């Protein structure tokens, strides 16, 4: 695979990752250290299932929705289309009219969240670019296999009804949040984004990689 190019689109936990207001912050504490004379370096981690780059499962918003461990592993290896979005507020269908996305393919939205740095500065901001409700309907209509966005949430910050999450997850489409597409050109890739196998999980952190 020497001719292949790989893009790690995951954010670094504890350095670049963003904490959504009210969620559990990421933390790592040393339990044992070589410096203190212990046999090894050993750390404990506290974090949300939605920390950093992560996948949302339908159970996140639906009582009887599919949990993360019920998805087959092959669901997280799929062709993906990276699409650049110029709209500085929201991802709308008008900008997606000419996008060639195939049924079952992932669509990953590259916005100013990536290009201008908000996804990797570790600080939450309310004015991130989000997917509109009509944009979510477009994704479902196209039968995409996964929807990805370059911020910690796909939903407008002050949403009260979570229409976007409910529309996508309600159709058993996983959502990949917190990806950094800054250095990824538009185009078609193979996406690998394996979530931790959390029993009954509403979501899970992933290491997301694109192969071009």
């Amino acid at each position: 695979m020497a001719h292949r190019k790989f893009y790690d689109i995951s954010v670094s936990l504890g350095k670049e990752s963003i904490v959504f207001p009210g969620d559990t912050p990421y933390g790592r504490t040393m339990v044992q250290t070589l410096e203190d004379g212990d046999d090894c370096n050993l750390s404990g981690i506290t974090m949300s299932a939605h920390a950093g780059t992560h996948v949302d499962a339908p159970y996140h918003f639906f009582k009887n929705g599919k949990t993360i461990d019920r998805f087959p592993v092959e669901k997280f290896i799929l062709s993906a289309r990276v699409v650049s979005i110029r709209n500085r507020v929201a991802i709308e269908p008008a900008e997606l009219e000419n996008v060639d996305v195939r049924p079952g393919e992932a669509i990953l939205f590259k916005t100013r969240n990536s290009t201008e740095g908000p996804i990797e500065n570790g600080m939450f901001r309310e004015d991130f670019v989000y997917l509109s409700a009509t944009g979510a309907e477009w994704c479902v209509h196209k039968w995409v296999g996964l929807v990805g966005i370059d911020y910690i949430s796909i939903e407008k910050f002050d949403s009260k009804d979570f229409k976007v999450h409910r529309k996508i997850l309600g159709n058993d489409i996983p959502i990949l949040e917190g990806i950094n597409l800054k250095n990824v050109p538009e185009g078609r890739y193979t996406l690998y984004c394996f979530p931790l196998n959390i029993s009954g999980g509403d979501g899970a952190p992933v290491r997301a990689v694109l192969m071009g």
Side-chain angles (χ1 to χ4, degrees):
M1 290 190 181
H3 64 291
R4 296 288 192 178
K5 187 170 180 62
F6 291 86
Y7 297 91
D8 186 348
I9 58 173
S10 311
V11 296
S12 174
L13 283 167
K15 183 179 179 182
E16 301 172 340
S17 55
I18 301 160
V19 181
F20 194 87
D23 204 355
T24 305
Y26 170 84
R28 188 171 73 91
T29 304
M30 295 307 297
V31 178
Q32 296 181 23
T33 66
L34 292 169
E35 185 178 350
D36 290 338
D38 296 311
D39 293 331
C40 64
N41 287 318
L42 179 67
S43 58
I45 294 175
T46 56
M47 63 191 294
S48 166
H50 301 263
T53 306
H54 67 277
V55 169
D56 288 353
Y59 183 62
H60 187 33
F61 276 90
F62 295 95
K63 183 178 179 180
N64 297 314
K66 187 181 292 185
T67 54
I68 201 69
D69 54 313
R70 289 174 54 202
F71 282 99
V73 69
E74 59 267 24
K75 180 66 176 178
F76 303 103
I77 309 172
L78 64 170
S79 175
R81 180 71 188 269
V82 173
V83 178
S84 291
I85 300 296
R86 291 185 294 274
N87 191 317
R88 297 182 61 81
V89 177
I91 302 159
E92 300 281 6
E95 204 166 349
L96 303 174
E97 288 179 356
N98 298 318
V99 173
D100 174 26
V101 61
R102 303 163 184 165
E105 193 168 44
I107 187 163
L108 309 180
F109 296 114
K110 178 180 179 178
T111 75
R112 66 176 175 83
N113 299 334
S114 285
T115 59
E116 297 179 10
I119 186 57
E120 60 185 350
N121 67 13
M123 299 176 62
F124 179 80
R125 54 188 294 174
E126 298 180 4
D127 65 338
F128 58 88
V129 182
Y130 60 90
L131 180 64
S132 70
T134 51
E137 290 174 2
W138 182 92
C139 292
V140 171
H141 178 72
K142 290 290 185 176
W143 297 96
V144 301
L146 177 147
V147 180
I149 196 169
D150 54 357
Y151 208 68
I152 196 68
S153 177
I154 204 167
E155 197 99 37
K156 186 177 180 182
F157 173 65
D158 58 358
S159 173
K160 298 296 189 293
D161 50 18
F162 303 101
K163 285 184 178 179
V164 172
H165 276 94
R166 293 182 183 279
K167 183 67 175 180
I168 296 174
L169 297 177
N171 283 275
D172 269 358
I173 302 171
I175 298 173
L176 176 62
E177 296 173 323
I179 53 177
N180 186 354
L181 298 171
K182 182 177 182 179
N183 299 315
V184 183
E186 277 194 300
R188 188 163 273 119
Y189 301 86
T190 299
L191 170 66
Y192 302 88
C193 58
F194 301 113
L196 296 178
N197 191 12
I198 300 174
S199 178
D202 50 281
V206 305
R207 186 69 176 263
V209 175
L210 290 173
M211 182 180 74

